[in-house]
Amino acid sequence: DCIPLFQTDVVCVCGPENPCANTIKEIQELLCETLVLRPEGYPAYYGLNACLQRYNCSIFHFHSLLEINSFAASKVLLHQNQGVGFFYRCLVQQDIKTNYLSEIHISTPTSFNSAYTYYIIKKHNAILSEEQLLFFQFCKSQFENFYVSVDGSHRPSIESPIV
């Protein structure tokens, strides 16, 4: 069984001095940029490529690729205007808020702004102990403030049936 824990979406970001910063672009307009991303083998690598395929392109259509293992190093490179990246909003929302990174709004947001849900997985028909329920509620409360949508509002809480 899966219990929903947390939702976030994917945003395109760059450095605040990048000409694309705080603009609305189509995916095709970003293909001349260097794409900063996690290396092959990471779920984000495959997820981004699958998302781009909906627009008849792939990560290989970008001018160049910069695959980096370190998320922190990726953010530094983006801040230094070395390209663009697609990341979960929850990971970069503080950087956007402080203007360390800037969002590039994708004009066709259905694929990039759709919510991704993370789950806690438990055995089918398993009853969670009181301690497990308390831990789950604690985790969920910590994540509730993590998501802030593009307009600054909070996403409604995820209803989770706990059995």
Side-chain angles (χ1 to χ4, degrees):
D1 292 343
C2 298
I3 303 171
L5 176 66
F6 173 66
Q7 285 184 334
T8 190
D9 61 348
V10 173
V11 295
C12 184
V13 293
C14 62
E17 301 300 318
N18 187 308
C20 296
N22 300 309
T23 62
I24 299 173
K25 299 282 184 186
E26 292 185 15
I27 292 295
Q28 290 75 12
E29 294 178 272
L30 298 174
L31 297 179
C32 61
E33 297 283 337
T34 296
L35 178 62
V36 178
L37 73 161
R38 300 301 293 268
E40 186 173 3
Y42 281 87
Y45 177 96
Y46 300 111
L48 175 58
N49 210 26
C51 197
L52 290 169
Q53 287 176 356
R54 295 179 192 143
Y55 298 96
N56 295 318
C57 62
S58 77
I59 59 173
F60 301 108
H61 286 104
F62 281 82
H63 176 263
S64 56
L65 299 178
L66 189 52
E67 295 181 21
I68 301 185
N69 238 353
S70 166
F71 178 65
S74 297
K75 292 196 307 184
V76 169
L77 288 169
L78 291 171
H79 177 74
Q80 295 172 345
N81 298 311
Q82 298 301 311
V84 300
F86 293 86
F87 297 104
Y88 295 122
R89 182 180 299 279
C90 64
L91 298 176
V92 294
Q93 73 183 16
Q94 188 62 31
D95 298 301
I96 293 170
K97 187 177 178 180
T98 61
N99 205 33
Y100 185 76
L101 296 175
S102 296
E103 185 172 351
I104 302 170
H105 302 277
I106 306 300
S107 63
T108 48
T110 53
S111 295
F112 288 99
N113 287 341
S114 57
Y116 294 86
T117 304
Y118 291 86
Y119 298 89
I120 288 181
I121 300 172
K122 68 177 186 77
K123 289 176 94 175
H124 182 66
N125 292 330
I127 298 173
L128 298 177
S129 70
E130 186 176 334
E131 291 84 13
Q132 290 169 323
L133 287 172
L134 287 171
F135 179 72
F136 172 76
Q137 292 302 333
F138 169 78
C139 291
K140 191 170 179 177
S141 71
Q142 297 303 303
F143 286 125
E144 282 180 359
N145 293 326
F146 232 173
Y147 182 92
V148 178
S149 65
V150 175
D151 65 2
S153 63
H154 289 275
R155 185 179 296 277
S157 179
I158 302 171
E159 294 301 321
S160 56
I162 299 176
V163 182

